[in-house]
Amino acid sequence: MSLPFNLVPNTHRTHPEKLAEIVGASGFVKHFSDHMAIATWTQDAGWHDSKIENYRCLDMAPGNAILHYGQEIFEGLKAYRHADGSIWLFRPEMNARRFNRSADRLDLPQIPEEDFLRSVHALVRTDQSWVPAGEEMSYYIRPFMFADEAFLGVHSAARASYIVIGGPASPYLADGMTPTDIWVTKKFARAGESGTGAAKCGGNYAASLIALREGAQYGCSQVLFTDAATHDWVEELGGMNFFVVTHDGVLITPPTSGTILEGITRDSILELAPALGLRPEVRPLSVSELFARILDGDILEAFACGTAAVVSPIGRLMHDKDGGVETIPLPSPVGEATRAIRTALVDIQWGRAEDKFGWMHTVMELS
Ligand code: PLP
Ligand code: COI
């Protein structure tokens, strides 16, 4: 039986003047919209008590398992407002599937794909006035699930909560096409073999924070992680996948292989590449190959990609070398291929190009 996400309306909605100010402002989800989707799971009753209600603080016992053992997963997707006012989601079924893969790894319950999708559609439909119309602006949607039961023994919870919240967002990294400096860490790993790297769980992000601080000392705003066992192989950034482009049009990204998140943007770029004259190559990329080929002028461009970040060019890589810091500038910090990939993707997302792959799903038509 499907879960209904019926509306219990918020009686204290954001004032229209304040809302206009919020949806017109740039920044990555500085405000959450008036409602949230919520459902409860128990071992005995399965999923129940689903609804759309006020965005509100949660009541939680200090002994709640999520606060101690971090049994939690999340997703990230966006709603895009097209020029005619209609609102669309980009490949949301991929988020639903990945959410259940993450749930499996964290021993949380599965949520039927249709219920995940229904909750997302219902929230966006309810808070449609929160979906910005501005250039590069979207409504970022954050579904998440967590152990919601008070106990201190280490075991999986018999009660979980599923919630979807959202808010207006501009691209995660400063102004979209401005190149970012990236710290390549060989000191900290975010995920190891047979670990949780392929799951979207809070613990992976907690483990990445110290490396962000390491990189920030050198002016880097993001970190490129390497494999936990040898630190010889390139993996991904803390919240984005990683690509490079060679001078002869080869687009290289490492295979996900369990330690890297299976990014939906990554997958879409691999599909779009051939039509842009690029040859995708999914293969292990060593740190030494990466650095040497950039310094040789053979790798010209590098970029990070993800739902929040879209496609974001990388200006320089920095890393610790013999106790000092080596800076490796990309020959084309805002390269042609990066720009073409970004344009091809965002034109589909904002309805400016034909959606040949059937990636876009309408939330509502203009009424
Ligand atoms: N890698 C990590 C660790 C992420 O958190 C994200 C963001 O979701 C990505 C990659 C990109 O995935 P997607 O393109 O599905 O947003
Ligand atoms: C996303 O792109 O949706 C993410 O979850 C990344 C996060 C750093 C905001």
Side-chain angles (χ1 to χ4, degrees):
M1 208 182 66
S2 60
L3 272 181
F5 282 93
N6 296 326
L7 176 64
V8 181
N10 188 335
T11 44
H12 297 93
R13 286 188 181 224
T14 304
H15 190 277
E17 259 175 42
K18 175 77 185 160
L19 179 55
E21 195 186 302
I22 292 171
V23 296
S26 60
F28 184 74
V29 196
K30 300 253 172 72
H31 299 269
F32 294 99
S33 64
D34 286 329
H35 295 87
M36 64 186 196
I38 186 163
T40 301
W41 174 89
T42 56
Q43 213 154 42
D44 297 338
W47 287 108
H48 56 278
D49 276 352
S50 57
K51 59 190 163 222
I52 300 285
E53 63 168 4
N54 287 6
Y55 175 88
R56 60 170 173 86
C57 293
L58 303 174
D59 247 347
M60 200 174 274
N64 197 307
I66 178 59
L67 302 176
H68 302 271
Y69 307 126
Q71 195 188 5
E72 185 265 357
I73 57 165
F74 69 95
E75 265 307 322
L77 66 163
K78 283 174 169 172
Y80 304 85
R81 191 181 286 281
H82 288 185
D84 67 358
S86 60
I87 299 174
W88 298 75
L89 300 172
F90 180 73
R91 309 186 77 183
E93 71 291 348
M94 299 279 277
N95 297 93
R97 281 176 214 150
R98 188 171 64 188
F99 195 65
N100 278 331
R101 292 200 299 277
S102 300
D104 190 44
R105 181 63 183 84
L106 273 286
D107 205 23
L108 282 160
Q110 298 284 297
I111 183 161
E113 214 173 296
E114 321 79 78
D115 293 328
F116 177 99
L117 294 173
R118 193 172 313 101
S119 66
V120 167
H121 278 260
L123 177 65
V124 178
R125 206 178 303 120
T126 305
D127 282 346
Q128 57 184 278
S129 53
W130 286 78
V131 183
E135 180 82 7
E136 294 265 325
M137 294 287 293
S138 58
Y139 175 83
Y140 184 81
I141 305 157
R142 171 55 59 87
F144 60 107
M145 191 202 294
F146 57 95
D148 197 359
E149 190 186 3
F151 61 84
L152 289 188
V154 181
H155 58 82
S156 297
R159 184 177 188 279
S161 285
Y162 168 74
I163 299 179
V164 190
I165 55 176
S170 51
Y172 193 72
L173 301 177
D175 117 29
M177 276 306 272
T178 303
T180 306
D181 289 347
I182 303 290
W183 178 251
V184 184
T185 183
K186 289 188 147 202
K187 191 166 165 194
F188 302 109
R190 71 175 279 285
E193 204 63 39
S194 309
T196 55
K200 214 161 157 56
C201 63
N204 291 345
Y205 298 79
S208 75
L209 300 177
I210 189 170
L212 267 186
R213 182 144 54 82
E214 189 193 10
Q217 295 174 70
Y218 309 104
C220 295
S221 60
Q222 294 296 318
V223 173
L224 177 59
F225 287 90
T226 50
D227 73 293
T230 65
H231 292 296
D232 285 338
W233 301 95
V234 171
E235 294 215 316
E236 62 175 328
L237 282 76
M240 297 145 222
N241 291 118
F242 179 75
F243 279 87
V244 295
V245 186
T246 65
H247 75 277
D248 53 352
V250 180
L251 180 70
I252 306 170
T253 193
T256 47
S257 311
T259 54
I260 298 178
L261 193 79
E262 293 170 355
I264 296 161
T265 317
R266 172 186 179 279
D267 182 82
S268 309
I269 289 170
L270 290 171
E271 296 238 30
L272 289 169
L276 301 171
L278 296 162
R279 289 195 309 286
E281 224 172 77
V282 178
R283 64 158 173 89
L285 176 65
S286 69
V287 176
S288 48
E289 179 188 347
L290 173 68
F291 290 169
R293 290 183 70 186
I294 294 174
L295 292 169
D296 283 354
D298 186 24
I299 287 177
L300 294 180
E301 306 176 35
F303 63 86
C305 68
T307 299
V310 194
V311 170
S312 189
I314 293 172
R316 301 185 297 178
L317 297 175
M318 293 186 199
H319 73 119
D320 181 278
K321 191 180 180 190
D322 310 324
V325 171
E326 184 183 31
T327 299
I328 303 174
L330 270 300
S332 303
V334 190
E336 235 175 82
T338 304
R339 201 181 279 283
I341 289 167
R342 189 177 206 280
T343 303
L345 182 70
V346 299
D347 280 356
I348 293 172
Q349 291 171 331
W350 270 279
R352 296 185 293 256
E354 189 192 345
D355 174 22
K356 288 187 186 141
F357 297 94
W359 285 340
M360 302 305 290
H361 295 259
T362 183
V363 171
M364 75 201 69
E365 304 296 344
L366 186 65
S367 54

